[in-house]
């Protein structure tokens, strides 16, 4: 959904005010960090201000009863980056769908995975009860021009053959990608141009997964979808040593979580992980979280807030507990 006219006007006014203040600070005090250019500092401050304005002033569980976490998440999802499209010079893309029931996951192995295992068993059981084709996981398959040239000799059906999840030759490499967004926003289609550049650089096709989002689908629905996608590409014929997991922010965190789960399940591991700003400490206890607050692009509610991304991910609408 697009932003309303008033929301756009508000964003423009905020950006203008922040730009003036940030430019004056830069001129008088110099860059906030030695390596920052004026353009970079302006971009950071505008982004931080716009994100901050989307977060209601809900600081702790005293406001839990009057806080609609689902309405907040819906508002954030409505304002998340829209889908973008590729030009022929950038590459090709196609939306593909993975049947959730196709993975044939070993439920016995999940008994030893703690609370995540029990929740995963419930999710798997729910998928099995689906009628007809069942639930589908949407993905974006991307191939940049360099990848097309490298693979076209192996594609019997030309470009159409490159837009299926099956490997085009026995040693083809695939990047399995997970987008960022704090587990509550984001979509693979918004990453098409970024992924085309990634595909151009590595010469490989990229499959980006639209995993389910919290709080409507809390932990471990995201890991469940990641596991299904990984199992699917293995079933299609990709060898684990030719699969690379990649992601940014929460997507990078998902790469780490998936790898840990694969090890626990004694499944073959991918050859490598590419992690861009992984958010691996979901309780934000590391000192750098506060030390770098003035330099970070992102603005997120603290763990004490019911609107904390980590709480929306793990147990939305529930009081903060030691287990959480």
């Amino acid at each position: 959904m697009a932003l309303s006219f008033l929301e756009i006007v508000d964003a423009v006014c905020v950006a203008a005010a922040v730009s003036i203040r940030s430019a004056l600070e830069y001129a008088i005090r110099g860059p906030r960090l030695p390596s920052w250019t004026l353009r970079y500092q302006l971009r950071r401050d505008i982004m931080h201000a716009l994100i901050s304005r989307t977060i209601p002033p809900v600081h702790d569980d005293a406001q839990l009863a009057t806080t609609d976490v689902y309405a907040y998440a819906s508002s954030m999802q409505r304002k998340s980056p829209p889908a973008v499209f590729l030009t022929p010079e950038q590459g090709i893309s196609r939306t593909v769908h993975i049947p959730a029931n196709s993975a044939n996951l070993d439920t016995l192995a999940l008994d030893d995975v703690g609370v995540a295992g029990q929740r995963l068993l419930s999710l798997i059981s729910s998928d099995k009860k689906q009628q007809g084709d069942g639930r589908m996981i949407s993905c974006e398959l991307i191939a940049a021009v360099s990848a097309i040239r490298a693979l076209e000799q192996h594609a019997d059906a030309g470009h159409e053959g490159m837009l299926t999840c099956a490997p085009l030759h026995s040693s083809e490499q695939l990047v399995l990608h997970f987008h960022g967004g704090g587990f509550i926003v984001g979509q693979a289609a918004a990453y098409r141009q970024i992924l085309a550049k990634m595909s151009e650089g590595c010469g490989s096709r990229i499959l980006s997964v639209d995993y389910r989002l919290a709080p409507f689908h809390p932990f471990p629905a995201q890991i469940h979808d990641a596991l299904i996608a990984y199992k699917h590409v293995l079933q299609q014929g990709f060898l684990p040593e030719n699969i690379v997991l990649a992601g940014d922010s929460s997507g990078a965190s998902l790469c780490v979580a998936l790898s840990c789960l694969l090890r626990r399940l004694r499944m073959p591991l991918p050859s490598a992980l590419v992690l861009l700003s992984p958010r691996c400490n979901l309780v934000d206890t590391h000192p750098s979280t506060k030390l770098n607050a003035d330099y970070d692009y992102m603005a997120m509610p603290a763990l004490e807030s019911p609107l904390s991304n980590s709480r929306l991910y793990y147990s939305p609408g529930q009081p903060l507990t030691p287990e959480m």
Side-chain angles (χ1 to χ4, degrees), residues 86-277:
L86 298 181
T87 65
E89 293 75 25
Q90 292 173 312
I92 54 177
S93 68
R94 172 176 289 174
T95 302
V96 297
H97 298 91
I98 298 174
N101 280 328
S102 66
N104 296 319
L105 300 172
D106 183 0
T107 54
L108 293 177
L110 291 169
D111 286 335
D112 189 36
V113 189
V115 63
Q118 294 304 311
R119 293 189 180 190
L120 281 170
L121 286 172
S122 176
L123 291 171
I124 293 170
S125 175
S126 177
D127 276 343
K128 288 182 177 179
K129 293 176 182 178
Q130 297 275 345
Q131 300 297 319
D133 293 334
R135 185 173 66 89
M136 294 287 182
I137 301 173
S138 178
C139 305
E140 288 293 320
L141 188 60
I142 309 287
V145 173
S146 65
I148 294 172
R149 290 171 180 166
L151 293 169
E152 58 188 356
Q153 61 180 313
H154 304 285
D156 295 335
H159 289 183
E160 284 296 311
M162 297 185 193
L163 293 173
T164 67
C165 289
L168 298 176
H169 58 87
S170 60
S171 59
E172 184 190 354
Q173 294 185 324
L174 177 75
V175 178
L176 187 61
H177 174 266
F178 303 97
H179 65 77
F183 300 112
I184 65 171
V185 299
Q187 58 173 321
Y191 278 69
R192 285 181 181 134
Q193 293 182 358
I194 296 173
L195 295 178
K197 291 181 180 179
M198 186 183 295
S199 175
E200 186 75 25
C202 65
S204 301
R205 293 189 293 165
I206 297 178
L207 183 67
S208 185
V209 182
D210 261 325
Y211 53 86
R212 287 170 287 180
L213 299 175
F216 305 98
H217 302 283
F219 167 88
Q222 298 73 21
I223 301 174
H224 182 214
D225 288 351
L227 179 60
I228 291 171
Y230 183 77
K231 185 75 179 292
H232 179 77
V233 296
L234 289 177
Q235 291 172 334
Q236 291 297 303
F238 282 98
L239 300 176
E241 58 266 30
N242 292 330
I243 300 173
V244 174
L245 303 185
D248 65 291
S249 190
S250 57
S253 172
L254 198 52
C255 293
V256 176
L258 174 60
S259 299
C260 292
L261 180 59
L262 292 173
R263 187 181 295 274
R264 291 289 293 272
L265 297 178
R266 296 180 175 83
M267 288 179 60
L269 297 174
S271 62
L273 277 66
V274 178
L275 310 177
L276 307 178
S277 298

Side-chain angles (χ1 to χ4, degrees), residues 72-81 179-187 211 213-214 250 309:
Y72 166 72
S74 294
S75 173
M76 294 294 288
Q77 290 171 5
R78 185 172 62 86
K79 297 173 183 176
S80 64
H179 65 77
F183 300 112
I184 65 171
V185 299
Q187 58 173 321
Y211 53 86
L213 299 175
S250 57
N309 283 21

